[in-house]
Amino acid sequence: MSFDNPWIHGLVMGLILANVALVITGYSIWFERKFAGRMQNRPGPSVVGPWGLLQPLADALKLLQKEDIVPRSADRALFNLAPPLTVFCALSALAVVPVGPGVIVADLHIGILFALAMGSLTVFPVWMAGWASNTKYALLGAMRSAAQSISYEIPLLLSATVPIILADSFRITDIVNAQLGGKWFALWPPGPGIAAFALFFLCSLAEANRIPFDIPEAESELVSGVSTEYTGMKWGLFQLAEYLHTFIISLVATTLFLGGWDGPGDNDGIIWMAIKSLTLFAGIFWIRWSFMRYRADQLMAICWKFFLPLGLVLVMLTALWVHLI
Amino acid sequence: MDPNWLAALVFLILSGIIAGGQLVAARVLAVRAKNNVSTKYDTYECGEEPDGAAWVRFHPRYYVIALLFVLFDVETVFLLPWAINIDVLGTYAIVEMFVFISILMLGWAYAWRKGALEWH
């Protein structure tokens, strides 16, 4: 589906994809709570609607109605600007991600760079929020988060370079097309492919501030980190941005390494994209409820002493592979 | 110009509206307290009265990390155009990139030896 006029195409396609992403994000919160509940042998949300299905709506309404408190000593402008900016940065990356053949808002020729750039821009609103709050916990969370985000950006880019080399293009549609017919980059080349996928996945978790890398929040040591002083919908926007970011990185990881909409045989289609990306998305929740948080110093050590050289080795191996075979 | 850029611009505006719209909705729907206690607007510090502002100097280790980041970020800037031209450039480019990365990793090993990667 596409329209000739780029304005109309952007508007119609953008509205559809953004709304689908927001609904999936809303229900992923319900799913996560249900999932966590089952893992811990309790029912999870079950009161609002059948199986608690109306819980996301109830939560959103509750957040919208809450009183908005801005601390006296905070920097008002930055404090108010930060939450919508995080959502903006997280959502914008969706513009270049193809969810099916031709189902994409803007098929940019540097698509993957655009997606990664938008994802890493979230470091600015998080830092703004931490600084503007004028609270020690928020500032500590923001400092650590900034250090973490910029560090993990390098292995993230290096692992994304592997599919770029293999497909010989920055355009995400080209990268998916190069994998059609079961030649997924996570499986082929054997070895570097799966390692690059794992590296990309872990670094994306760090970029999206998910457990085991949720340093900016770290509620057991920093109260609630960056979002300590936020109330009502502003706090809600931080949560929304985190889940949106997580959803979009599962989409990007699927297109880069798991063949996108490539299904068994000739059955390509949007349904396979949905199955693969939602499985990854659910996997992230599984990780969240199974693992502990890394300490800030361990986090930096993993990145600089292990992920960075690993990423460089993978890039060189892939280049040799492409050149020799 | 590639018309896709216009579509991307439309999407950026759209996501800006989505993000801002929720704050506007919250402004309309949110309750406002009739009686305000002044302590409500204090910053949170575990129930204690806040001790000074949080806008203080912080540890220089963050500065070292930022320096290292710039170093390796510039490296990826060189790496990316190389990555989509391996077919065209051939063996020479691969050897050259290998040498470039080796020199960079020497610097990385030096930084590790000097303790720049440690979180003191």
Side-chain angles (χ1 to χ4, degrees), chain A residues 196-262:
Chain A
F197 171 60
L199 187 60
F200 184 85
F201 189 63
L202 289 175
C203 294
S204 312
L205 284 186
E207 284 276 308
N209 302 326
R210 297 291 299 186
I211 284 178
F213 306 116
D214 68 329
I215 286 300
E217 209 173 302
E219 67 265 18
S220 50
E221 44 180 313
L222 294 179
V223 186
S224 183
V226 167
S227 50
T228 304
E229 288 297 342
Y230 282 91
T231 54
M233 202 55 207
K234 284 181 193 157
W235 178 84
L237 286 180
F238 278 116
Q239 296 299 307
L240 177 68
E242 188 184 319
Y243 281 85
L244 258 180
H245 200 158
T246 318
F247 176 55
I248 291 170
I249 59 174
S250 10
L251 285 178
V252 175
T254 310
T255 52
L256 287 187
F257 292 98
L258 299 182
W261 52 84
D262 178 46

Side-chain angles (χ1 to χ4, degrees), chain A residues 153-171:
Chain A
E153 210 172 299
I154 296 161
L156 184 72
L157 245 167
L158 290 175
S159 56
T161 311
V162 169
I164 291 173
I165 293 176
L166 291 168
D168 212 9
S169 173
F170 290 132
R171 195 189 293 269

Side-chain angles (χ1 to χ4, degrees), chain B residues 3 6 10 13 20 24 28 32 34 46-47 55 58 64 72 77 79 90 106 110:
Chain B
L6 277 182
V10 173
I13 297 170
V24 175
V28 175
R32 285 173 183 80
K34 284 184 184 134
C46 301
W55 292 334
F58 30 78
V64 176
F72 283 96
V77 169
L79 205 61
L106 269 180
Y110 176 75

Side-chain angles (χ1 to χ4, degrees), chain B residues 65-117:
Chain B
I65 292 291
L67 270 184
L68 278 172
F69 163 72
V70 171
L71 179 72
F72 283 96
D73 211 37
V74 170
E75 181 233 334
T76 50
V77 169
F78 286 121
L79 205 61
L80 286 172
W82 168 83
I84 58 166
N85 284 312
I86 291 179
D87 299 356
V88 190
L89 299 173
T91 317
Y92 178 66
I94 292 196
V95 173
E96 203 169 22
M97 187 49 80
F98 200 79
V99 172
F100 175 61
I101 289 181
S102 308
I103 294 173
L104 206 72
M105 290 321 274
L106 269 180
W108 170 80
Y110 176 75
W112 189 345
R113 191 73 195 272
K114 283 283 180 186
L117 306 184

